[in-house]
């Protein structure tokens, strides 16, 4: 009996496996071990089994599509995250619908609602810089669509999260500056309301406290995630009567913006001001001086998010999980 005569139940019976295990094995689901996958896939090929994706989707109320919403598609960080997502979803037989919010809360609201109404099986979202209202995420949960937030998360949203050790990495970056002899360290923060902003700020504060250095409000400026924001903050720092001797920025774009301004007024980096960023933007390696930064495992974050969303899609009930991946400090010429 070959070809379309075989159903999933027929395969499962012939292989003495459950229907769900056979289905997952055919989709290369990460929950199924490699030996079982090989066994199922080889047998399916031998009997020329052909799955009916339309009928399967209607029966399970699934579309085999996952929505991904990121603030920018050209941003290296998010492009790497997307690569990680697709490396897992492709193997599992899922299509990925990639949408861009352009750092706009309004666009994020429209996009997420549209994806839910289009019956995606799950959503992976990195919050826009403007996101400070969360009703659209309540809508997602009411529709029972699995939701995972990546990197840019908020404690006010009920969802699983994939992040990095923002607090520890920020603490390490600032402590490194202190150990290099810097005592007046400024910080460019991210958007209010986002957990990574709070965690990176707290790492900065606690490192100063650990070394008995004063927390000075004038040295903490909100710059967001943009180069322009970094330039504005650096200008504000340089208007102070006592200038900072180091800057720790919430991300590399803000750090590069600060460097751009300081170089425009001929401030020597790192001799007069040392600078550290966060997330390892490729531009950081080619600018002069090269930028010290915290390297995040971007591809791995995307892959982990995809693996978790696939598990949640297959479960009628699940508990939100919060995964934090390690990052590391890379020293370059902006702090040497």
């Amino acid at each position: 009996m070959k070809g379309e005569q075989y159903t999933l139940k027929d395969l499962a019976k012939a292989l003495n496996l459950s229907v769900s295990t056979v289905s997952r094995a055919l989709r290369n689901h990460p929950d199924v071990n490699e030996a079982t996958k090989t066994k199922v896939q080889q047998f399916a090929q031998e009997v020329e089994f052909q799955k009916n994706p339309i009928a399967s989707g209607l029966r399970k109320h699934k579309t085999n599509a996952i929505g991904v919403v990121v603030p920018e598609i050209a941003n290296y960080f998010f492009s790497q995250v997307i690569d990680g997502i697709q490396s897992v979803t492709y193997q599992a037989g899922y299509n990925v619908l990639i949408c861009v919010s352009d750092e706009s809360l309004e666009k994020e609201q429209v996009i997420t609602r549209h994806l839910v109404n289009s019956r995606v099986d799950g959503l992976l979202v990195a919050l826009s810089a403007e996101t400070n209202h969360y009703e659209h995420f309540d809508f997602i949960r009411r529709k029972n669509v699995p939701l995972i937030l990546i990197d840019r998360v908020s404690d006010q949203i009920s969802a699983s999260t994939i992040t990095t050790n923002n607090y520890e990495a920020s603490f390490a970056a600032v402590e490194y500056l202190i150990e290099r002899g810097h005592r007046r360290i400024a910080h460019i923060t991210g958007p209010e309301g986002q957990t990574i902003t709070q965690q990176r700020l707290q790492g900065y504060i606690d490192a100063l406290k650990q070394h008995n250095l004063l927390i000075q409000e004038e040295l903490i400026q909100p710059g967001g995630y943009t180069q322009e924001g970094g330039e504005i903050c650096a200008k504000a720092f340089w208007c102070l009567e006592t200038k900072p001797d180091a800057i720790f920025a919430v991300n590399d774009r803000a750090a590069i913006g600060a460097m751009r301004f300081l170089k425009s007024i001929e401030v020597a980096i790192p001799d007069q001001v040392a600078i550290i960023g966060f997330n390892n933007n490729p531009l950081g390696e080619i600018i002069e001086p090269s930028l010290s930064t915290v390297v995040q495992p971007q591809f791995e974050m995307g892959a982990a998010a995809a693996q978790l969303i696939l598990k949640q899609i297959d479960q009628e009930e699940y508990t939100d999980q919060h995964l934090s991946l390690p990052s590391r400090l890379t020293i370059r010429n902006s702090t040497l």
Side-chain angles (χ1 to χ4, degrees):
M1 187 168 67
K2 287 193 172 185
E4 295 181 352
Q5 295 177 351
Y6 259 84
T7 66
L8 281 175
K9 288 184 178 179
D10 293 328
L11 293 181
K13 183 177 180 181
L15 295 168
N16 195 27
L17 296 169
S18 69
V19 172
S20 62
T21 298
V22 170
S23 176
R24 292 180 185 181
L26 290 172
R27 291 186 285 116
N28 270 321
H29 198 286
D31 276 355
V32 181
N33 66 58
E34 292 302 321
T36 302
K37 284 182 186 178
T38 301
K39 177 181 177 182
V40 171
Q41 291 170 6
Q42 285 181 349
F43 184 73
Q45 186 175 9
E46 288 172 8
V47 298
E48 297 179 354
F49 170 77
Q50 289 185 333
K51 187 176 179 181
N52 186 333
I54 297 175
S56 177
L58 290 173
R59 185 167 57 251
K60 299 178 181 178
H61 305 288
K62 290 173 61 178
T63 59
N64 274 30
I66 295 172
V68 176
V69 185
V70 295
E72 298 177 85
I73 198 70
N75 184 309
Y76 179 78
F77 177 90
F78 294 115
S79 69
Q80 289 295 295
V81 168
I82 290 170
D83 282 349
I85 292 169
Q86 292 184 314
S87 72
V88 173
T89 54
Y90 175 78
Q91 293 295 324
Y94 276 78
N95 295 315
V96 174
L97 306 178
I98 301 170
C99 301
V100 181
S101 68
D102 289 325
E103 300 285 16
S104 164
L105 169 61
E106 182 180 357
K107 285 186 178 182
E108 182 181 277
Q109 291 170 327
V110 172
I111 289 168
T112 52
R113 184 173 288 270
H114 173 73
L115 288 170
V116 170
N117 289 336
S118 298
R119 309 292 192 200
V120 294
D121 296 330
L123 273 173
L124 304 174
V125 180
L127 300 180
S128 80
E130 291 183 356
T131 301
N132 55 9
H133 296 287
Y134 311 102
E135 293 84 0
H136 50 308
F137 293 107
D138 294 334
F139 170 75
I140 294 168
R141 295 309 290 259
R142 288 197 303 272
K143 294 296 184 178
N144 295 317
V145 177
L147 169 66
I148 296 177
L149 301 181
I150 305 175
D151 188 57
R152 299 190 189 180
V153 307
S154 172
D155 294 337
Q156 298 186 54
I157 301 173
S158 176
S160 295
T161 59
I162 305 292
T163 59
T164 56
N165 56 337
N166 291 292
Y167 171 83
E168 292 84 359
S170 299
F171 186 102
V174 176
E175 187 169 60
Y176 169 80
L177 291 171
I178 295 170
E179 291 171 348
R180 294 284 296 177
H182 301 285
R183 293 296 178 267
R184 192 168 165 80
I185 303 169
H187 180 42
I188 301 172
T189 70
E192 292 184 13
Q194 293 197 4
T195 302
I196 62 173
T197 296
Q198 300 161 1
Q199 291 174 338
R200 293 175 192 181
L201 172 60
Q202 196 60 52
Y204 161 83
I205 289 173
D206 287 354
L208 295 181
K209 288 181 177 179
Q210 179 72 25
H211 292 270
N212 299 314
L213 296 177
L214 293 176
I215 311 303
Q216 302 178 66
E217 294 298 325
E218 63 185 3
L219 292 179
I220 302 174
Q221 292 286 335
Y225 298 128
T226 67
Q227 181 174 311
E228 180 184 10
E231 291 187 44
I232 292 171
C233 289
K235 185 175 182 179
F237 294 145
W238 220 250
C239 288
L240 298 173
E241 184 175 347
T242 306
K243 319 299 185 196
D245 58 11
I247 297 174
F248 168 57
V250 68
N251 73 349
D252 283 358
R253 282 189 171 184
I256 290 169
M259 292 177 68
R260 180 182 172 88
F261 169 76
L262 293 172
K263 290 172 72 173
S264 73
I265 58 173
E266 299 184 350
V267 173
I269 303 170
D271 295 341
Q272 290 177 265
V273 181
I275 300 180
I276 293 181
F278 207 112
N279 73 14
N280 197 33
N281 188 306
L283 286 176
E285 288 191 89
I286 63 177
I287 59 174
E288 181 59 39
S290 56
L291 178 64
S292 294
T293 189
V294 174
V295 179
Q296 294 175 283
Q298 300 143 345
F299 182 92
E300 290 79 4
M301 291 174 72
Q307 289 166 353
L308 182 54
I309 202 77
L310 291 177
K311 289 181 180 179
Q312 293 186 349
I313 288 169
D314 282 342
Q315 296 170 347
E316 290 187 9
E317 295 184 8
Y318 58 85
T319 302
D320 287 335
Q321 297 182 39
H322 305 284
L323 179 61
S324 176
L325 303 183
S327 48
R328 56 183 174 81
L329 181 62
T330 291
I331 301 304
R332 300 190 183 117
N333 293 333
S334 67
T335 56
L336 290 176

